[in-house]
Amino acid sequence: MNTTTRAVVAVVCTAALVATAVLGGSYLGLAAPLSGDVYDSVTPRGATQVDSPYGPASVWYDDHGVPHVEAENERALYFAVGYVQARDRLFQMDLQRRLVGGRLSEVVGNQTVESDRFYRSLDFEAAAEASWNSVRDTEVGPAIEAYSDGVNHYADAGTLPPEYALLDAEFETWTPTDTLLVGKLISWRLSGSFADLRRSTAVSRLGPNASELYPAQLGHDAPIVRTPENSDAASFSPESVVDEAGPNATESVAGDFEALASWTDAYDKGPAFGSNNWVVSGEHTASGKPLLANDPHLSLTAPPVWYEMHLSTAEMDVRGAAFPGIPMVVIGRTADAAWGVTNVGGDFTDIYTYETRDDGYVYDGEVRAFETDAQTIEVADGEDVQITVRKSVHGAVIDRGGKTVGVAWPGFSATNESLGVYRLNHADSVADVRSALRIWDVPAQNFVAADRAGNTLYYPAGRYPLRVTDGEVVRGDTIFNGSQGEGEWPGYDPYGESSWGGFVPFESIPHVNDPSVLATANQRTIDDPDFYMGTSMTYADPYRGERIYDMLDEAAAEGGITAEDMMRVQRDVRSEAAVGLSPYAVDDAAVRKMSPEAQSLASELDGWDNRMRAESRAALVYRIWVDEFRNATFADEFDAAGLDESYYPGLYVLQTLDADATWYDDRTTRDVAETRAHVAALAMNRTAERIDREGWKTYGDFNRLDVDHAFDRGFLNYPERPMDGSRYTVFNFRGSQSTQTGSSWRMVVDFSAEDESVGVIPGGQRGVFWSDRYHDQLDEWAAGEYKPLTLERPSGEPDIVFGGAR
């Protein structure tokens, strides 16, 4: 990767925690190159005895650097967890809280001011404080406080990672609010979306025909809940919330919000991110016990977005993956229960326009003053920047290009997901999982669960707003007139304690008790026109979901599914997108219009098995062709409208366009009305030119793993390699992009007596580059291999012993 031109990405977690290209050039130049002095100042001391104010705890590191933490009480446990997470990932944790708190520029400089401005404007800090006030007196409060003390105890020992010396930065005390702040970043990256701004802008500029590119629902036959009768949601009347509706509404707002959309796009829920999970009941397994699989698709970063842990007390024994900065296991298993998550992909963010007057905004028939807060963004290499954070009754207020809008999102209120995760870590049954999910707020997630007793569950838990306009519940895929009281969320208090009285009750969220086979891959949840959850702009294309269901249905028909079968599905690289689209490239009418070089390439697709393998030339041809096909279909209209490819619809919409759809016609030509065949031929001609120019021979030449540290220097970066998989395959990897994404954690849980549970992360446990655990799991992950995920700890003496007063 060319380090002189590539933007440095911020190392942030989650699902996504996305490594966002907000930094305009390598910031390694802000500090001197690494020297012997820097190495000496941060060499680990290898301490094995650590004082603790909470009582004894012990840590064993296994051969993959996974800490197995045992303690006689939970405060002692979480103090130790804070210590070991800081030991292994301190800089990553610090960078995350700085990112979402809008304080990167203090250490990075002017190049992150816009990022800081965005996160300050939405005031995630205030939302985190509200959440901490909500949970501090619950059972999770002491755990978070002890964790914070453990982080600070390690940092105070003076063994800071080398990044601090490189940036001439200091570590500031970690607080419980910081843990909740990291949680807000995770939640926002998975459920915050400005899709309504993009859709409104596209329709405004392209005309009403553009609506067909962003349909309310994709017409595939593989929703998560495949038959309505499988949904166990209780009946619910949305009209029960309209008594609190706002004033009469006018028609919904439509307009050009391109300036706002361009600014927010870097901080939006990315369409590249997705996940897979599925559960199979004992009815279809060889052991008669359930099997569960999960692989969330998030940014691939150095170090990885996940940190694996095994935590044990007399009352709890849990293992799985956590986000650094979060003391509990987010995805994992206990001795008798397991759970996995994928993103619901629903619509959880609403946008409101206002009539502004006298430096205020009109609402409910009167002019109200914006709530304002003057803040300073400190800039390490330049003048500080003064900003004003504004809020309305709907939440945060942002503006660009003459447009001022309010933003509502459940996560701006006090939320309890930290308490939900804490309770999941104590789950002994599916009933316990369901109980923990009852209080789950954000981000809404597709939970699958199973237990040793044979129970299974699917629940898309979260807060689903019911929008009320003029006394009626309306859909959320629009921009609302906030001054006229459109799209109100009864029971929602931004930056305070919400009653959630106007949200869908937990029992009424579509769910399935004891599914025999159920799979989620961010596709739409259910075919129910009366239950609005999202649109084609918020859900993923159906290809991964279709493939998983096909493989599981086939395996279930044959009977006796094993853990190895679950791993085989996770390793699958057949692209259902290629199955649907590649025939257009080899259609006779298209081939006749191609150059000889393009015809030769098209012949590579004849008889191809549609598998995205690194050594395949056909996979390379398809992958480049589909990019060119999509661009050739939409570029003329979108370029003329001043819209870039981020506005293009998804592949499924492209696949299902009629062969003579007007979008295929090139508006710059007058002598012919182009059809799909014309565009497919043009795309293959361009593919031939591009492959020849780049010198690619196989798919792996294009699809390469290239995961770099935020400082983007060779000794800090992970080794490069060709990769199988694509964005649309179950074995998920998306290479050759400014931000690489893929399966950020793979897990299979097996409740048979053999317990063949496994897991793997794309890299290593430690964030310090001299460690043997910096990227020791990368080879296994890239090859689709695994390591054990049992509840056994290593034998022998512990590596770290914590002691002190109880």
Side-chain angles (χ1 to χ4, degrees), residues 269-616:
K269 175 175 71 68
F273 304 109
S275 304
N276 307 317
N277 68 13
W278 59 89
V279 64
V280 178
S281 74
E283 175 186 354
H284 300 295
T285 66
S287 68
K289 298 290 186 179
L291 291 164
L292 183 147
N294 192 192
D295 58 299
H297 308 156
L298 302 171
S299 289
L300 302 178
T301 60
V305 300
W306 295 101
Y307 179 79
E308 189 180 345
M309 308 185 300
H310 175 201
L311 312 181
S312 181
T313 67
E315 293 78 28
M316 176 184 71
D317 196 13
V318 61
R319 181 172 180 175
F323 294 115
I326 306 294
M328 285 78 68
V329 169
V330 176
I331 298 173
R333 51 86 54 95
T334 65
D336 296 311
W339 67 96
V341 302
T342 69
N343 207 28
V344 167
D347 184 357
F348 303 99
T349 312
D350 279 345
I351 307 297
Y352 302 84
T353 61
Y354 303 107
E355 177 188 349
T356 56
R357 190 186 307 166
D358 301 328
D359 294 327
Y361 66 105
V362 176
Y363 179 76
D364 198 14
E366 63 181 18
V367 178
R368 299 193 180 191
F370 289 109
E371 179 185 338
T372 61
D373 180 24
Q375 297 187 15
T376 300
I377 298 175
E378 296 182 16
V379 182
D381 60 353
E383 294 185 4
D384 294 348
V385 175
Q386 309 301 319
I387 66 170
T388 300
V389 176
R390 296 190 296 170
K391 296 171 185 169
S392 72
V393 295
H394 300 107
V397 172
I398 57 176
D399 58 79
R400 277 292 188 279
K403 301 285 188 180
T404 298
V405 301
V407 184
W409 175 60
F412 291 144
S413 184
T415 56
N416 294 324
E417 61 278 354
S418 60
L419 179 58
V421 174
Y422 175 90
R423 292 178 179 176
L424 285 172
N425 283 209
H426 291 75
D428 293 323
S429 65
V430 159
D432 290 340
V433 172
R434 182 188 179 107
S435 178
L437 298 184
R438 182 173 291 278
I439 62 167
W440 192 271
D441 298 323
V442 293
Q445 296 286 283
N446 293 307
F447 281 86
V448 294
D451 64 26
R452 190 174 299 278
N455 304 295
T456 57
L457 177 70
Y458 163 68
Y459 224 115
R463 298 295 182 183
Y464 293 81
L466 293 170
R467 293 89 170 172
V468 176
T469 296
D470 196 18
E472 295 183 358
V473 175
V474 298
R475 293 172 59 88
D477 53 344
T478 188
I479 294 176
F480 294 113
N481 188 323
S483 289
Q484 294 294 326
E486 292 185 355
E488 300 286 274
W489 291 8
Y492 170 64
D493 183 9
Y495 308 101
E497 290 267 0
S498 292
S499 72
W500 309 114
F503 286 63
V504 177
F506 179 75
E507 292 79 6
S508 298
I509 299 171
H511 58 277
V512 182
N513 293 323
D514 289 314
S516 58
V517 176
L518 188 140
T520 88
N522 316 112
Q523 76 271 41
R524 77 174 187 273
T525 305
I526 191 171
D527 291 327
D528 184 354
D530 296 325
F531 191 95
Y532 173 76
M533 296 182 78
T535 73
S536 65
M537 291 192 73
T538 59
Y539 288 127
D541 282 344
Y543 302 118
R544 285 181 289 112
E546 289 177 343
R547 179 61 177 162
I548 294 168
Y549 264 132
D550 285 347
M551 295 187 74
L552 291 179
D553 288 346
E554 180 180 349
E558 294 176 355
I561 297 176
T562 65
E564 179 56 42
D565 293 324
M566 303 285 272
M567 291 180 242
R568 178 174 56 85
V569 177
Q570 284 190 335
R571 287 189 286 254
D572 183 71
V573 294
R574 175 181 164 95
S575 171
E576 293 302 312
V579 172
L581 285 157
S582 61
Y584 302 159
V586 297
D587 179 75
D588 287 343
V591 172
R592 287 194 297 268
K593 297 175 172 61
M594 295 177 188
S595 68
E597 294 80 8
Q599 289 177 348
S600 176
L601 281 188
S603 68
E604 297 280 353
L605 300 180
D606 289 332
W608 176 46
D609 61 4
N610 298 293
R611 283 176 163 78
M612 306 299 290
R613 298 198 179 280
E615 68 273 14
S616 169

Side-chain angles (χ1 to χ4, degrees), residues 673-685:
E674 287 84 4
T675 64
R676 180 195 293 152
H678 290 88
V679 175
L682 174 63
M684 191 61 77
N685 290 339

Side-chain angles (χ1 to χ4, degrees), residues 215-221 524 527 535-536 539-542 652-653 656:
Q217 180 172 292
L218 300 177
H220 62 89
D221 59 359
R524 77 174 187 273
D527 291 327
T535 73
S536 65
Y539 288 127
D541 282 344
Y652 192 80
V653 168
T656 53

